[in-house]
Amino acid sequence: MAQIPEDLKYTKTHEWARIEGDIATVGITDFAQHELSDVVYVEITALGKTVKQNDPIGFIEAVKATSDIYAPLSGEVIEVNTQIHKAEGEAPAMVNRDPYGQGWLCRIKISHPEEINSLLDHTAYAELVKRSEHH
Amino acid sequence: MIKQTPFYPRHLSAGGKIIEFAGYHLPVQFKGIIPEHHHVRTKVGVFDVSHMGRIRISGNDALRFINHMTTNDASTLAVYQAQYSVMCYPDGGIVDDLVVYRLPDHYLLVVNGANNEKDTQWLLEHRNGDVRIENITDAVAQLAIQGPKAEPCLQKICSIDLAPVGFYWATEGKIAGIDCLISRTGYTGEDGFELYIPAQSALAVWDALMEAGREFEIEPIGLGARDTLRLEMKYCLYGNDIDQTTNPLEAGLGFVVKLDKPGGFIGSEVLKQVAQEKPARRLVCLEMLEKAIPRPRLPVFADDNQIGITTSGTMSPSLNKGIALAYVQRRFSSSGTELTIEIRNHRARAVVVPPPFYKSGSRKK
């Protein structure tokens, strides 16, 4: 079963956001990393840019497929996880090993806090995952 | 209705991530594509390939029929020899690629799972003379044991000596006491065997194999690694690299197209023409010269002109770089030609390399 921490907010596109003050730390969910498997490259193309909620902000390359990452909230992308961003070798696989911890992707300075209400809580996201799982 | 192979319970208990493929529930991965890939390249892995179609052809005219339906020359096969081959449409497009086995009293065609019904229908439509066509897919399970340790591993539970069985040769023997067809074949570039097992005894063979293979660290391998392993060898995948719109000559499969065999075959007239004029495009191996991972169906450029399209692409775990197969106009197909692939709005540099990408496989020649 995919882990879905209770203290995070989620998107329908399988990102998570940990909101602390006006900063959102962003990553992809355990369900998403498992679907993608074998992450080999991460790039946050929107680093330093101001983005709107649901804008693409970067991409993840797995062995089998490429997947876009979308902004859970509007704001400025102020930081990336330098341990994995554009890294080679084993480092990007941290997204698989620890998607909610060391596998975080970027931080957004939130410009429209009211959007937080539009994100899914853990129970709503668990429902979404349940519907997406074939087995 | 999605089917299950006889090994399905073992895939579940091994923690396989199950997907639908060719109408079956099959594992796409267990521990991860990359570790599974390396495991097959360095040790031994076992693939459930029971989704492949198995078609038995018998009767006095079986050889003549097979030679009419396929591009390779089945008349050269000795008993227990196998050959890679292709079935074409009259226009030279590919119906399927397959392996043809000559057995003592019949032939066995092993076709792509997704094409099983289509191929069976195609064969039945062309049936002529004393030919019997039986689809035995459900009665037989199929495993591929692949990797440098495949032979010592399988030998432990096999009644006959495997050493004399050459590449693309088969034999019959007992595996864990069960009568099987055993061939030295595979889709990975490593040494290895495929087993054809009566479906009702499939689990007994699986369990014996996993037990015998423990000292060699045998592990089940999913479809994900099967794809990266085959791509590193430039083994074509039907539906990606070849299909009804491509012919075997442009796909680089000319080595199994015997244009001069007596009586010809379906598609031979058109393919003779293609051979004479030379194919307008060729399927080439492209290795990325920069950090980018190509995917199928991406445009390929020479300067500012699109001259081709990728058909398969991945991160190669063995080479640790992006690799792709692509059809490109013939004049851009020689090794060393630098091209670009449009990946995420960026023209990423790549170079044509001779096949295979991975050259250190343990496969017997």
Side-chain angles (χ1 to χ4, degrees), chain B residues 304-316:
Chain B
D304 280 332
N305 305 311
Q306 190 187 337
I307 53 89
I309 186 160
T310 61
T311 54
S312 288
T314 192
M315 206 281 295
S316 158

Side-chain angles (χ1 to χ4, degrees), chain B residues 125 169 262 294:
Chain B
E125 280 168 23
W169 285 81

